[in-house]
Amino acid sequence: MTTNSVRENLLRMQERIAGAAARAGRNADEITLIGVSKTHPANAIREAFEAGVRHFGENRVQEWEGKRTGTEGLAATWHLIGHLQNNKAVRAARLFHSIDSVDDLALAQRLDRARVEVGIPEKLRVLIEVRVAPEETKSGVETREASELAEKIAGLPRLELGGLMCIPPFLEQAEKVRSYFRRLRELRDDLAKTLGLALPVLSMGMSHDFEVAIEEGATEVRVGTALFGTRIAG
Ligand SMILES: *Cc1c(COP(=O)(O)O)cnc(C)c1O
């Protein structure tokens, strides 16, 4: 896979996204591909942009800062998908269009204030990261705490709560992850109803399980390896 160009990988991804969408009776246009460029250099991001990718995900503020000059001028949407520490909230609020991994109110409040401090008038999109497998993963809010957090974030004036995100346990057989994706969708449906919020976004699915995620309702899939090739260990 590493020998394929990003363009070739993207074409395969688009076919597989379309196939999964069709199986679920969904329109492939409803699904946004986020190219996860962590560990890959700025020129890989440029290559993906030129091939048609318009959303990118990084998981560290500092790493992304290092790629800024190399990606200048690209009209893309930049997502932070990794855990964010409070003390980096101001930098994140300046550099990203969306923080996809919010799991605590103090951080959301910090981002809300930061958006004023950095002088960006548009709302910052955020997703709540939910811990769908509490026994196996550490990041994310517990499902039973999601409602209270969603309600409070929805009340913050500079943030726009788009929906939910999850990182299920890595299981070799993607089919075994299906129940976690379903859990996230059901939680979203439940919150939307009880809180009267739109919550259109479900960010779920990575290189090895994005098709299952799409079948379960993902609107954003975060794909690294299948698009950019194997990550450089570091
Ligand atoms: C690295 C990462 C991905 C992409 O992983 P792949 O398996 O390479 O597609 C997606 N989401 C998050 C939060 C990540 O950290």
PDB file of all heavy atoms in Angstrom, residues 36 38 59 81 165 167 206-207 222-225 231, ligand 1:
ATOM      1  N   VAL A  36      -6.274  11.720   7.577  1.00  0.00           N
ATOM      2  CA  VAL A  36      -5.513  11.863   8.828  1.00  0.00           C
ATOM      3  C   VAL A  36      -4.019  11.865   8.497  1.00  0.00           C
ATOM      4  O   VAL A  36      -3.441  10.846   8.143  1.00  0.00           O
ATOM      5  CB  VAL A  36      -5.870  10.746   9.827  1.00  0.00           C
ATOM      6  CG1 VAL A  36      -5.011  10.848  11.087  1.00  0.00           C
ATOM      7  CG2 VAL A  36      -7.349  10.832  10.192  1.00  0.00           C
ATOM      8  N   LYS A  38      -1.352  12.841  10.385  1.00  0.00           N
ATOM      9  CA  LYS A  38      -0.345  12.795  11.453  1.00  0.00           C
ATOM     10  C   LYS A  38       0.862  11.958  11.018  1.00  0.00           C
ATOM     11  O   LYS A  38       0.674  10.914  10.368  1.00  0.00           O
ATOM     12  CB  LYS A  38      -0.953  12.238  12.738  1.00  0.00           C
ATOM     13  CG  LYS A  38      -1.380  10.799  12.627  1.00  0.00           C
ATOM     14  CD  LYS A  38      -2.148  10.361  13.875  1.00  0.00           C
ATOM     15  CE  LYS A  38      -2.469   8.884  13.792  1.00  0.00           C
ATOM     16  NZ  LYS A  38      -3.627   8.495  14.579  1.00  0.00           N
ATOM     17  N   ASN A  59      -3.510  14.992  15.086  1.00  0.00           N
ATOM     18  CA  ASN A  59      -3.850  14.765  16.489  1.00  0.00           C
ATOM     19  C   ASN A  59      -2.987  15.500  17.500  1.00  0.00           C
ATOM     20  O   ASN A  59      -3.225  15.367  18.689  1.00  0.00           O
ATOM     21  CB  ASN A  59      -4.043  13.280  16.815  1.00  0.00           C
ATOM     22  CG  ASN A  59      -2.791  12.485  16.673  1.00  0.00           C
ATOM     23  OD1 ASN A  59      -1.822  12.989  16.107  1.00  0.00           O
ATOM     24  ND2 ASN A  59      -2.801  11.263  17.168  1.00  0.00           N
ATOM     25  N   ILE A  81      -8.116  15.939  15.929  1.00  0.00           N
ATOM     26  CA  ILE A  81      -8.830  14.704  16.266  1.00  0.00           C
ATOM     27  C   ILE A  81      -8.246  14.011  17.492  1.00  0.00           C
ATOM     28  O   ILE A  81      -8.790  13.022  17.966  1.00  0.00           O
ATOM     29  CB  ILE A  81      -8.837  13.720  15.064  1.00  0.00           C
ATOM     30  CG1 ILE A  81      -7.404  13.334  14.678  1.00  0.00           C
ATOM     31  CG2 ILE A  81      -9.571  14.318  13.874  1.00  0.00           C
ATOM     32  CD1 ILE A  81      -7.339  12.219  13.642  1.00  0.00           C
ATOM     33  N   MET A 165     -18.253  11.820  18.307  1.00  0.00           N
ATOM     34  CA  MET A 165     -17.118  11.113  17.718  1.00  0.00           C
ATOM     35  C   MET A 165     -16.755   9.962  18.645  1.00  0.00           C
ATOM     36  O   MET A 165     -16.985  10.039  19.859  1.00  0.00           O
ATOM     37  CB  MET A 165     -15.965  12.110  17.593  1.00  0.00           C
ATOM     38  CG  MET A 165     -14.666  11.573  17.065  1.00  0.00           C
ATOM     39  SD  MET A 165     -13.577  10.906  18.328  1.00  0.00           S
ATOM     40  CE  MET A 165     -12.017  11.554  17.795  1.00  0.00           C
ATOM     41  N   ILE A 167     -13.680   6.569  19.179  1.00  0.00           N
ATOM     42  CA  ILE A 167     -12.586   5.701  18.761  1.00  0.00           C
ATOM     43  C   ILE A 167     -12.817   4.361  19.460  1.00  0.00           C
ATOM     44  O   ILE A 167     -12.462   4.197  20.619  1.00  0.00           O
ATOM     45  CB  ILE A 167     -11.211   6.273  19.190  1.00  0.00           C
ATOM     46  CG1 ILE A 167     -11.071   7.734  18.760  1.00  0.00           C
ATOM     47  CG2 ILE A 167     -10.073   5.412  18.617  1.00  0.00           C
ATOM     48  CD1 ILE A 167      -9.812   8.411  19.300  1.00  0.00           C
ATOM     49  N   MET A 206     -12.174   4.270  10.885  1.00  0.00           N
ATOM     50  CA  MET A 206     -10.800   4.538  10.492  1.00  0.00           C
ATOM     51  C   MET A 206     -10.448   3.578   9.346  1.00  0.00           C
ATOM     52  O   MET A 206     -11.327   2.925   8.809  1.00  0.00           O
ATOM     53  CB  MET A 206      -9.879   4.379  11.705  1.00  0.00           C
ATOM     54  CG  MET A 206     -10.354   5.274  12.827  1.00  0.00           C
ATOM     55  SD  MET A 206      -9.621   5.204  14.485  1.00  0.00           S
ATOM     56  CE  MET A 206      -7.980   4.652  14.322  1.00  0.00           C
ATOM     57  N   SER A 207      -9.155   3.504   9.000  1.00  0.00           N
ATOM     58  CA  SER A 207      -8.785   2.740   7.795  1.00  0.00           C
ATOM     59  C   SER A 207      -9.380   1.334   7.735  1.00  0.00           C
ATOM     60  O   SER A 207      -9.840   0.899   6.695  1.00  0.00           O
ATOM     61  CB  SER A 207      -7.266   2.631   7.685  1.00  0.00           C
ATOM     62  OG  SER A 207      -6.720   3.882   7.360  1.00  0.00           O
ATOM     63  N   ARG A 222     -12.415   9.017   9.428  1.00  0.00           N
ATOM     64  CA  ARG A 222     -11.058   9.560   9.624  1.00  0.00           C
ATOM     65  C   ARG A 222     -10.056   8.509   9.161  1.00  0.00           C
ATOM     66  O   ARG A 222      -9.838   7.515   9.845  1.00  0.00           O
ATOM     67  CB  ARG A 222     -10.844   9.887  11.110  1.00  0.00           C
ATOM     68  CG  ARG A 222     -11.910  10.802  11.702  1.00  0.00           C
ATOM     69  CD  ARG A 222     -11.639  11.028  13.186  1.00  0.00           C
ATOM     70  NE  ARG A 222     -11.433   9.793  13.919  1.00  0.00           N
ATOM     71  CZ  ARG A 222     -12.390   9.110  14.551  1.00  0.00           C
ATOM     72  NH1 ARG A 222     -13.623   9.554  14.556  1.00  0.00           N
ATOM     73  NH2 ARG A 222     -12.110   7.988  15.183  1.00  0.00           N
ATOM     74  N   VAL A 223      -9.472   8.743   8.012  1.00  0.00           N
ATOM     75  CA  VAL A 223      -8.656   7.709   7.393  1.00  0.00           C
ATOM     76  C   VAL A 223      -7.215   8.177   7.212  1.00  0.00           C
ATOM     77  O   VAL A 223      -6.957   9.192   6.565  1.00  0.00           O
ATOM     78  CB  VAL A 223      -9.272   7.305   6.041  1.00  0.00           C
ATOM     79  CG1 VAL A 223      -8.373   6.310   5.339  1.00  0.00           C
ATOM     80  CG2 VAL A 223     -10.661   6.714   6.255  1.00  0.00           C
ATOM     81  N   GLY A 224      -6.305   7.445   7.834  1.00  0.00           N
ATOM     82  CA  GLY A 224      -4.890   7.773   7.719  1.00  0.00           C
ATOM     83  C   GLY A 224      -4.164   6.799   6.805  1.00  0.00           C
ATOM     84  O   GLY A 224      -3.897   7.073   5.633  1.00  0.00           O
ATOM     85  N   THR A 225      -3.867   5.628   7.355  1.00  0.00           N
ATOM     86  CA  THR A 225      -3.052   4.635   6.651  1.00  0.00           C
ATOM     87  C   THR A 225      -3.555   4.306   5.244  1.00  0.00           C
ATOM     88  O   THR A 225      -2.760   4.218   4.308  1.00  0.00           O
ATOM     89  CB  THR A 225      -3.019   3.335   7.481  1.00  0.00           C
ATOM     90  OG1 THR A 225      -2.868   3.687   8.858  1.00  0.00           O
ATOM     91  CG2 THR A 225      -1.865   2.459   7.073  1.00  0.00           C
ATOM     92  N   ARG A 231       2.270   4.725   8.626  1.00  0.00           N
ATOM     93  CA  ARG A 231       2.861   5.847   9.362  1.00  0.00           C
ATOM     94  C   ARG A 231       4.286   5.546   9.771  1.00  0.00           C
ATOM     95  O   ARG A 231       4.625   4.414  10.110  1.00  0.00           O
ATOM     96  CB  ARG A 231       2.053   6.152  10.621  1.00  0.00           C
ATOM     97  CG  ARG A 231       0.910   7.080  10.375  1.00  0.00           C
ATOM     98  CD  ARG A 231       0.256   7.522  11.668  1.00  0.00           C
ATOM     99  NE  ARG A 231      -0.492   6.455  12.307  1.00  0.00           N
ATOM    100  CZ  ARG A 231      -1.727   6.076  11.936  1.00  0.00           C
ATOM    101  NH1 ARG A 231      -2.331   6.672  10.941  1.00  0.00           N
ATOM    102  NH2 ARG A 231      -2.330   5.103  12.569  1.00  0.00           N
TER     103      ARG A 231
HETATM  104  C1  LIG B   1      -4.617   8.045  13.699  1.00  0.00           C
HETATM  105  C2  LIG B   1      -6.053   8.273  13.854  1.00  0.00           C
HETATM  106  C3  LIG B   1      -6.967   7.916  12.832  1.00  0.00           C
HETATM  107  C4  LIG B   1      -6.554   7.233  11.546  1.00  0.00           C
HETATM  108  O1  LIG B   1      -6.077   5.962  11.761  1.00  0.00           O
HETATM  109  P1  LIG B   1      -5.829   4.934  10.537  1.00  0.00           P
HETATM  110  O2  LIG B   1      -6.008   3.611  11.134  1.00  0.00           O
HETATM  111  O3  LIG B   1      -4.434   5.175  10.070  1.00  0.00           O
HETATM  112  O4  LIG B   1      -6.824   5.243   9.479  1.00  0.00           O
HETATM  113  C5  LIG B   1      -8.304   8.224  13.042  1.00  0.00           C
HETATM  114  N1  LIG B   1      -8.732   8.809  14.172  1.00  0.00           N
HETATM  115  C6  LIG B   1      -7.900   9.156  15.163  1.00  0.00           C
HETATM  116  C7  LIG B   1      -8.451   9.807  16.378  1.00  0.00           C
HETATM  117  C8  LIG B   1      -6.551   8.896  15.044  1.00  0.00           C
HETATM  118  O5  LIG B   1      -5.722   9.239  16.054  1.00  0.00           O
END
